[in-house]
Amino acid sequence: MTTDGKATAAAMNRSSAEEAAKSGIWVGIAAITMTFAAFTSAIIVREGTDTSWHHMTLPGVLYLNTLVLIASSITLELSRRPVAARISRREAAGQEGSRSGLLWLLVTLGLGLMFLAGQYAAWRELASQGLFLATNPSSSFFYVLTAVHGVHLLGGLAALGYLAGKLSMAGARLRRSTAEATSIYWHFMGGLWIYLLLVMRTRL
Amino acid sequence: MQEASAPQAQQGHHGPPEGFIRKYVFSLDHKVIGKQYYGLALVAVFIGMTLSWLMRYHLIYPNGKIFGLELLSKVGAPGGVMTPEYYLSLMTMHGTLMVFFVLTNAPFAAFGNYFLPIQIGAEDMAFPRFNMMSFWVTLVAFLVLVTAFFIPDGPPISGWTAYAPLSAVGTDAGPGLGWGQNLWGLSIAIFCVGSLLGSLNFIATTLDLRAKGMTLMRMPLCTWAWFITACISLLAFAVLLPACLLLVLDRMAGTSFFIPAGLVVSDRLQAHAGGSPLLWQHLFWFFGHPEVYIAILPAMGIVSHILINSIRRPLLSAKVIIYSMMSIGFLSYMVWGHHMFVSGMNPFSSLMFSFPTLTITIPATVMTLIWLGSLYGARIRFTSASLFALGFISMFVSGGVSGFFLAQPSIDIYLHATYFVVGHFHMVMGVAAIFGVFAGTYFWFPKMTGRMMSEGLGKVHFWFTFIGTYCIFMPFHYLGLAGNVRRYSSFVDDFLLPLMPVHRFITIAALITGAAQFIFLYNLIHSRFRGKVAPVNPWEATSLEWTIPSPPPWNNFGDRHPVVYHDPHQYGVKGSLGDYVMQDSPEKIENES
Ligand code: HEM
Ligand SMILES: [Cu+2]
């Protein structure tokens, strides 16, 4: 760790608050990673002790959902520059920035909601096949993993909503770090989902 | 002493608190939150202690009536006599309250919240709102847990480790395993959330809010300990949370993560299929072993901090203490299997867990040697705080030595289910961490309240507690070697009867030692209002908390921006103040490393 660099930065509260939001999000990501590592090892142990492990076919809509989530990461990247420009201009002169940042952000938000709706459709599909939370170990893990991921994604949606709200208000103060932390988290949610899909595809 | 403020005026995270609610209840101030955690731990520790009294009384008078117990539970104590099952309920609550709400809250969350930001020269934690939430979430967890006392069925009987499958199947497995166990699972899950929020704050604050000149190596040892503990806690509670979630689902949604196929409990075939009880043990102890270090590392840091101050010279090596704490934190994730030597897991795995367990004793021993070596020939200032710090070392060594035995599967198979283990963990974790908390309280009380505690009462409290805990927990080792099983509500078998005199001795010691804790409580409350007014730096200490008024203003340093020039170990040097130089003093020190 660069101690001196960090210490000097800390002298100016402004920049250190910026730093804190970013290290905060990385620390949070570490914890979430650990949680899903625990779930993964639970699947492996659980499968290893089971003599009659039922494999299941994942609902096809999940692959569509995956594309939607990947697309949302791209649109979030598209919003990044205009939003950043908007933030720095605010800070300098206080003039209105372009609307395109806000637009892309709203598209991202919409895609995120679409993903969640898609996940719900997947649940409905399983239910119609008679696969519920308690039916067999595979279905249990499927519901648990998708639900816990969904809850974390909701957190990301809330952050996106907050950003969009701030951007649409004329005089609102918005920190660059908030925007960056949100986008790091959102991309992480996408990566996490792809990982989960692989795990579920190969194990459940 | 302070440099003129930095060019940009420091923007506070939040303004001065206004109104009673913002000041004392939903406060964003890390100091108030620290005190709230301390208060919660204090309530929990007195409930936990009372439970231990009830258990100890029952062990020597299995048919003895306990006045008023029937009011708490008609089923559990018909006519005031505890049933064997109710004994286990009380034991579960004792363990859970002590491990989670006392040993995790007091040394880490309470003192860490109060002093970590001050010791690094920050105005508050990085995320004050999360910080407030972490306390209130923890309080909810506490309330959910104690609700178990008041439901008809009583608290669960599964112990603080809640081993599956019995913890997962419901009321068939015994009293308290219905809603009692549900409440337990929910409470611990909620507790995890609070701890995660807290740890996140500690880590981000330490990394980003350090004052100018406060390099990592200039942080006081207790700040280091809190920081490392936060890292451990973040990863450990992130595993306990999903584990509790799966347990609760097994219980309430009919899944079978932990319940094996064909399980018959109370003559009834359980409707679940194919789960793994070992999975719970793996997940639990993956959290559980790091948890014991979550309890002890802050105490190690606090004790090091106080020890340097009372011997008035640096430790042999502060750096090695820091590296040892780091390696303990790292290794604590590789040893969990040593709690599972008799679980039926592959003996080869036992061996694989035995090696790192023996390895983790190395950094612990190194730290002990540094403390002892630094004490050699020192002219120590005997205060209540330093006595408890010395007591900590004593407890840690006495309780830690038995760990070497338990670390070897062949010996542990004999000792696992006996009082030997109970003696081991009470000394090394329970009492040692509590001694750290006592040391911290006597040391920092002046800063936290602006009043001094009574040193006389403090010393009386120390001697009662020190001798008392040895009287209680040393004989446990002997009992264990003699084959005295643990988690039994009474000892009526032939081979146990000859041990009853030892049990009687222990119970008497427990009652006296417990009573002595009221001296502490009295001292705490009385000094809070009537104690001598505390100066800014009563112990002539070097770290930043001693540069600000006692008690500190809401924003800690006022409008100042502390600038740090030295590490906090500058004792035994010539400074303008005497034999020490404060961290924010620009004085030059010769031969400073
Ligand atoms: C010197 C290094 C240590 C070693 C080698 C060691 C080893 C062990 C082993 C092998 C066990 C399992 C015994 C059994 O259940 O049969 C155990 C139990 C335990 N240890 Fe340690 N230990 C050490 C230090 C500590 C420390 C520092 C703490 C706490 C701060 C601690 C807390 C506990 C607890 C709470 C249990 C029992 C949990 C339970 O079964 O309810 N140990 N220790
Ligand atoms: Cu352990």
Side-chain angles (χ1 to χ4, degrees):
Chain A
M1 264 169 266
T2 56
T3 57
D4 279 321
K6 280 232 167 107
T8 337
M12 288 164 283
N13 200 323
R14 254 290 171 75
S15 58
S16 62
E18 299 268 315
E19 289 289 317
K22 260 210 257 168
S23 20
I25 211 68
W26 283 113
V27 173
I29 285 177
I32 297 171
T33 306
M34 201 65 191
T35 297
F36 282 92
F39 279 129
T40 311
S41 64
I43 295 179
I44 293 170
V45 172
R46 181 68 180 68
E47 191 184 357
T49 55
D50 200 328
T51 45
S52 58
W53 184 265
H54 302 272
H55 282 279
M56 62 191 263
T57 336
L58 297 182
V61 63
L62 290 185
Y63 303 103
L64 196 67
N65 293 350
T66 310
L67 291 181
V68 170
L69 203 56
I70 295 176
S72 77
S73 267
I74 298 173
T75 53
L76 185 60
E77 278 306 298
L78 292 178
S79 79
R80 196 185 170 99
R81 251 168 197 237
V83 169
R86 162 85 193 270
I87 291 172
S88 44
R89 238 171 306 160
R90 267 238 71 72
E91 278 174 0
Q95 27 170 270
E96 272 294 317
S98 80
R99 293 253 138 197
S100 78
L102 179 60
L103 196 71
W104 283 120
L105 213 56
L106 289 176
V107 173
T108 311
L109 199 69
L111 288 172
L113 287 171
M114 228 164 101
F115 172 82
L116 281 187
Q119 297 291 84
Y120 183 68
W123 284 8
R124 292 301 301 258
E125 194 177 325
L126 283 189
S128 69
Q129 297 168 19
L131 287 172
F132 298 96
L133 175 62
T135 310
N136 64 43
S138 294
S139 68
S140 304
F141 274 115
F142 178 82
Y143 281 101
V144 169
L145 290 179
T146 45
V148 175
H149 175 262
V151 167
H152 283 93
L153 198 96
L154 271 181
L157 283 179
L160 287 177
Y162 173 84
L163 273 187
K166 283 271 167 164
L167 279 180
S168 58
M169 277 183 283
R173 212 185 94 219
L174 182 60
R175 282 221 185 102
R176 184 190 303 273
S177 59
T178 316
E180 280 180 16
T182 308
S183 75
I184 294 174
Y185 185 78
W186 191 258
H187 294 323
F188 170 66
M189 280 296 124
L192 179 62
W193 170 250
I194 291 172
Y195 165 78
L196 288 180
L197 191 69
L198 285 176
V199 168
M200 295 195 294
R201 179 70 214 244
T202 53
R203 293 276 156 185
L204 296 188
Chain B
M1 271 211 290
Q2 302 302 323
E3 258 184 16
S5 58
Q8 289 108 319
Q10 187 147 355
Q11 290 172 330
H13 302 282
H14 52 83
E18 269 155 32
F20 182 80
I21 303 262
R22 260 283 176 247
K23 251 190 192 144
Y24 302 107
V25 187
F26 294 109
S27 172
L28 297 173
D29 182 344
H30 68 100
K31 299 183 290 298
V32 178
I33 295 169
K35 282 186 182 176
Q36 287 170 328
Y37 266 116
Y38 193 97
L40 178 60
L42 207 60
V43 172
V45 82
F46 272 89
I47 300 178
M49 190 181 79
T50 311
L51 295 175
S52 74
W53 276 355
L54 298 177
M55 287 188 287
R56 281 314 311 178
Y57 178 83
H58 182 77
L59 284 177
I60 62 167
Y61 297 118
N63 298 315
K65 269 195 185 156
I66 296 171
F67 180 74
L69 198 59
E70 202 182 358
L71 294 178
L72 192 59
S73 171
K74 272 213 184 54
V75 196
V81 184
M82 206 185 279
T83 62
E85 291 80 7
Y86 202 57
Y87 175 90
L88 293 177
S89 297
L90 299 187
M91 183 197 79
T92 304
M93 293 298 270
H94 167 79
T96 310
L97 282 171
M98 289 298 199
V99 171
F100 292 98
F101 294 92
V102 179
L103 297 181
T104 311
N105 275 355
F108 176 57
F111 283 130
N113 252 312
Y114 201 107
F115 287 107
L116 185 141
I118 306 184
Q119 285 187 341
I120 61 171
E123 182 179 305
D124 203 315
M125 285 280 185
F127 312 110
R129 252 161 252 278
F130 276 0
N131 207 18
M132 177 183 82
M133 256 156 67
S134 76
F135 170 75
W136 287 98
V137 167
T138 308
L139 183 70
V140 170
F142 174 78
L143 295 176
V144 170
L145 184 71
V146 294
T147 308
F149 275 121
F150 306 105
I151 61 174
D153 216 18
I157 60 174
S158 51
W160 80 281
T161 54
Y163 273 9
L166 294 185
S167 62
V169 294
T171 41
D172 277 358
L177 295 180
W179 263 99
Q181 188 73 55
N182 288 346
L183 290 172
W184 186 94
L186 292 172
S187 159
I188 300 306
I190 300 169
F191 187 91
C192 292
V193 175
S195 289
L196 288 170
L197 289 175
S199 308
L200 191 148
N201 239 323
F202 275 50
I203 297 174
T205 307
T206 313
L207 289 179
D208 295 323
L209 297 191
R210 279 172 288 123
K212 189 165 174 214
M214 180 62 81
T215 59
L216 285 173
M217 278 304 166
R218 282 182 183 166
M219 297 193 312
L221 291 174
C222 44
T223 303
W224 262 106
W226 289 317
F227 175 60
I228 296 170
T229 305
C231 299
I232 304 179
S233 156
L234 185 86
L235 302 185
F237 282 104
V239 171
L240 186 62
L241 181 58
C244 284
L245 179 73
L246 298 186
L247 182 69
V248 169
L249 286 178
D250 264 9
R251 303 179 44 78
M252 303 177 80
T255 55
S256 15
F257 293 108
F258 304 124
I259 307 172
L263 181 73
V264 176
V265 177
S266 303
D267 291 336
R268 265 192 292 278
L269 181 66
Q270 300 298 315
H272 301 259
S276 161
L278 262 194
L279 173 60
W280 170 260
Q281 289 199 27
H282 278 299
L283 291 175
F284 184 86
W285 286 116
F286 186 86
F287 148 80
H289 189 82
E291 162 66 17
V292 308
Y293 286 102
I294 294 172
I296 205 71
L297 277 177
M300 290 172 158
I302 293 171
V303 162
S304 308
H305 189 67
I306 295 174
L307 216 55
I308 305 173
N309 173 262
S310 31
I311 61 178
R312 315 297 303 166
R313 63 184 196 194
L315 294 180
L316 290 184
S317 171
K319 275 207 182 87
V320 175
I321 294 260
I322 295 170
Y323 295 139
S324 300
M325 291 198 291
M326 284 180 182
S327 37
I328 285 181
F330 177 70
L331 286 169
S332 71
Y333 281 101
M334 306 163 126
V335 300
W336 80 89
H338 67 215
H339 295 271
M340 301 167 61
F341 288 155
V342 302
S343 66
M345 110 187 139
N346 185 335
F348 185 68
S349 319
S350 294
L351 198 64
M352 293 316 288
F353 281 118
S354 178
F355 288 142
T357 303
L358 286 168
T359 313
I360 207 172
T361 62
I362 297 173
T365 310
V366 166
M367 289 175 73
T368 311
L369 290 178
I370 290 183
W371 290 323
L372 294 182
S374 314
L375 283 173
Y376 184 77
R379 284 221 307 271
I380 187 162
R381 288 186 185 170
F382 285 106
T383 56
S384 307
S386 65
L387 283 175
F388 272 105
L390 296 173
F392 165 90
I393 301 175
S394 172
M395 288 296 155
F396 184 70
V397 173
S398 310
V401 165
S402 46
F404 291 84
F405 297 90
L406 296 174
Q408 299 160 61
S410 48
I411 305 181
D412 181 67
I413 286 171
Y414 178 75
L415 293 172
H416 171 73
T418 73
Y419 268 75
F420 192 88
V421 175
V422 184
H424 162 68
F425 73 73
H426 273 92
M427 285 196 108
V428 76
M429 158 150 153
V431 183
I434 297 268
F435 269 45
V437 173
F438 282 141
T441 308
Y442 286 109
F443 189 68
W444 280 315
F445 187 88
K447 184 54 61 187
M448 295 170 75
T449 63
R451 306 265 181 174
M452 305 295 289
M453 284 181 88
S454 156
E455 277 292 313
L457 285 179
K459 283 175 184 158
V460 175
H461 172 225
F462 170 76
W463 287 110
F464 266 107
T465 311
F466 184 69
I467 298 172
T469 43
Y470 266 102
C471 289
I472 301 169
F473 296 114
M474 266 314 196
F476 275 25
H477 295 85
Y478 169 77
L479 288 172
L481 290 172
N484 198 315
V485 277
R486 66 189 276 209
R487 296 186 169 177
Y488 271 34
S489 73
S490 60
F491 305 117
V492 291
D493 305 275
D494 281 348
F495 78 104
L496 291 174
L497 283 179
L499 297 173
M500 282 312 283
V502 183
H503 278 293
R504 259 176 239 126
F505 174 78
I506 292 174
T507 297
I508 294 170
L511 289 172
I512 297 177
T513 314
Q517 303 318 305
F518 287 94
I519 303 177
F520 172 72
L521 192 63
Y522 171 81
N523 198 351
L524 206 63
I525 296 171
H526 186 262
S527 310
R528 167 70 186 77
F529 298 104
R530 294 279 155 76
K532 262 196 348 226
V533 171
V536 168
N537 189 2
W539 314 117
E540 303 183 298
T542 54
S543 44
L544 292 185
E545 74 266 33
W546 304 107
T547 62
I548 55 179
S550 321
W554 66 273
N555 52 1
N556 296 345
F557 295 90
D559 296 327
R560 295 189 299 142
H561 300 269
V563 179
V564 171
Y565 297 92
H566 311 287
D567 65 33
H569 314 302
Q570 299 304 329
Y571 291 100
V573 291
K574 264 197 90 59
S576 53
L577 293 163
D579 70 339
Y580 65 108
V581 176
M582 303 203 67
Q583 281 195 276
D584 66 349
S585 147
E587 285 177 57
K588 284 268 177 302
I589 302 174
E590 272 174 54
N591 308 326
E592 187 176 0
S593 56

